[in-house]
Amino acid sequence: MNITNAVVTGAAGGIGRALAARLRSDGARVVLADVNEAALAEAAAELGAEAVRTDVSDAGQMDALAAAAPDVDLVCLNAGIVGRDLGAPWEVSPQDWDRVFAVNVGGVVNGLRAFVPRLLSSGRPAHILITASLAGLVTFPTGGAYAASKHAVVAVAEQAALSLAGTPIGVTMLCPALVRTGMSPDGEDPADLAEQALAAVRAGAFTVVPDGWPAAITRRAHWLATGAPPEMPF
Ligand SMILES: NC(=O)c1ccc[n+]([C@@H]2O[C@H](COP(=O)([O-])OP(=O)(O)OC[C@H]3O[C@@H](n4cnc5c(N)ncnc54)[C@H](O)[C@@H]3O)[C@@H](O)[C@H]2O)c1
């Protein structure tokens, strides 16, 4: 597909900023959305993009974002947080469960609620890129609320893809392992991931999964299907 107008959430840093930079260098107009106002203004100035300060966990703010980008043909629902308490489920505070789910799952759901009806009524081809995580396809014991929230994001992305089959709207789900961003000092260069993600959007692929991990995803499916106990993913 030809991408001319894009919206990226979590665009002030990390993967979102890399997606926005790549889209700008490919010639698209981009609306950057982020809750961090200072970083957002700096990114918008550097990339020559429009900025709309948005907290993705707020349905009204996501609706205002969609209204500000009526011609969008790529919506990147990317904003996410790790939370404070990584650990076993009972070690995570109630506040952390609520906030991580509000941003990671609520942000994607609010984005779909705000953008999909507008895109469907426009009748134009469009695409939704959802940033989930490898942590949503395999399970690490100490993933805290983050891991569970990313499994939920995977389910929401699949629901969206199934519900939008046969419409001009495609869905791609990005499931990175570690990426060097504000979230992680180690991992892949976000610029490389952005290039891979946009190639998958253009090719109409559903998932982007890092090399070396498909076997772990298949092993998980096996014990889920057979009743064998879960194992570490590596
Ligand atoms: N970095 C990794 O290793 C990694 C791996 C897998 C998936 N991810 C996912 O990639 C996405 C982007 O994360 P990143 O690695 O670029 O992290 P990052 O912290 O560098 O960037 C996240 C951006 O989201 C913004 N943000 C946070 N809460 C928000 C809210 N409520 N509303 C709007 N914006 C908000 C932050 O201000 C920040 O600019 C997240 O969904 C994350 O879970 C990251």
Side-chain angles (χ1 to χ4, degrees), residues 9-17 33-36 39 54-58 77-82 99 102-104 131-135 146 150 174-184 186-187 190 193:
T9 70
I15 297 168
R17 187 165 171 154
D34 203 286
V35 74
N36 181 337
T54 310
D55 180 342
V56 297
S57 70
D58 182 317
L77 301 175
N78 164 79
I81 57 172
V82 177
R99 187 62 190 156
V103 175
N104 294 2
T131 308
S133 173
L134 180 67
Y146 181 79
K150 290 297 182 177
L174 189 54
C175 295
L178 288 180
V179 188
R180 268 193 327 272
T181 66
M183 212 175 260
S184 163
D186 307 310
L193 182 68

Side-chain angles (χ1 to χ4, degrees), residues 37-182:
E37 203 151 12
L40 179 64
E42 193 233 291
E46 188 183 306
L47 299 179
E50 194 185 329
V52 179
R53 196 258 174 206
T54 310
D55 180 342
V56 297
S57 70
D58 182 317
Q61 292 185 31
M62 283 301 276
D63 203 51
L65 175 65
D71 299 326
V72 70
D73 48 28
L74 176 67
V75 181
C76 303
L77 301 175
N78 164 79
I81 57 172
V82 177
R84 291 204 188 106
D85 314 323
L86 286 179
W90 57 91
E91 295 168 336
V92 176
S93 68
Q95 296 77 7
D96 224 48
W97 277 107
D98 287 350
R99 187 62 190 156
V100 170
F101 266 70
V103 175
N104 294 2
V105 187
V108 173
V109 173
N110 290 335
L112 294 172
R113 289 173 61 92
F115 284 94
V116 170
R118 288 176 163 92
L119 292 173
L120 284 173
S121 69
S122 83
R124 286 180 289 109
H127 208 92
I128 304 187
L129 174 66
I130 294 173
T131 308
S133 173
L134 180 67
L137 296 175
V138 295
T139 304
F140 298 91
T142 56
Y146 181 79
S149 77
K150 290 297 182 177
H151 278 268
V153 170
V154 167
V156 170
E158 276 183 277
Q159 283 179 285
L162 288 166
S163 302
L164 290 167
T167 75
I169 305 177
V171 179
T172 293
M173 176 175 75
L174 189 54
C175 295
L178 288 180
V179 188
R180 268 193 327 272
T181 66

Side-chain angles (χ1 to χ4, degrees), residues 219-231:
R219 280 199 303 278
R220 174 172 181 258
H222 177 73
W223 66 68
L224 290 178
T226 60
E231 294 167 16

Side-chain angles (χ1 to χ4, degrees), residues 188-219:
E188 188 179 2
D189 183 335
D192 294 342
L193 182 68
E195 185 177 345
Q196 219 187 331
L198 295 173
V201 165
R202 292 190 172 100
F206 178 55
T207 50
V208 180
V209 173
D211 291 344
W213 284 96
I217 298 163
T218 307
R219 280 199 303 278

